[in-house]
Amino acid sequence: EREGEERGLKEIRSEIRLGKMNVRAAIDYEKVAPVAHHKTVALINNFVIDTTEFLNKFSFLCERKLLSVSEDIHRIEVTLAVLEAKLASLPELDGVTAAEVPGVA
């Protein structure tokens, strides 16, 4: 009987699937009061503020990391230019190309 009563409900059932287990909540949506408009607006505003703060922080961190990488690349370029100048000043390396150096592709 009890099982028949549960199945006999005319209410709308919402299902939440958790893996292989089904959980059902019997809800009569006609008896549930609607959410107040000011509450909905407050929730949306809160979401927008939180999302904006997250995106601003994320953008700041990305820009900071890109600046760090850019500075590293600039430092490497300067070091490479100095090394090339030093190598160019050696007369015994005149005319030597990378293809002639063993281990360099």
Side-chain angles (χ1 to χ4, degrees), residues 81-93:
V82 170
L83 179 61
E84 287 174 341
K86 286 181 179 181
L87 288 173
S89 70
L90 298 174
E92 55 269 7
L93 293 179

Side-chain angles (χ1 to χ4, degrees), residues 10-65:
K10 300 285 182 184
E11 301 166 332
I12 299 172
R13 297 186 180 266
S14 61
E15 292 187 11
I16 303 170
R17 296 195 184 275
L18 302 172
K20 294 182 180 179
M21 187 170 102
N22 288 331
V23 178
R24 291 188 176 149
I27 300 172
D28 184 358
Y29 289 107
E30 291 180 10
K31 294 179 181 177
V32 177
V35 177
H37 293 293
H38 69 277
K39 193 175 221 178
T40 304
V41 170
L43 289 171
I44 291 172
N45 284 341
N46 203 16
F47 170 77
V48 170
I49 290 169
D50 289 345
T51 304
T52 302
E53 288 175 352
F54 166 76
L55 291 173
N56 285 337
K57 288 176 186 176
F58 181 73
S59 172
F60 173 76
L61 290 174
C62 289
E63 286 181 18
R64 193 170 68 182
K65 288 182 180 189

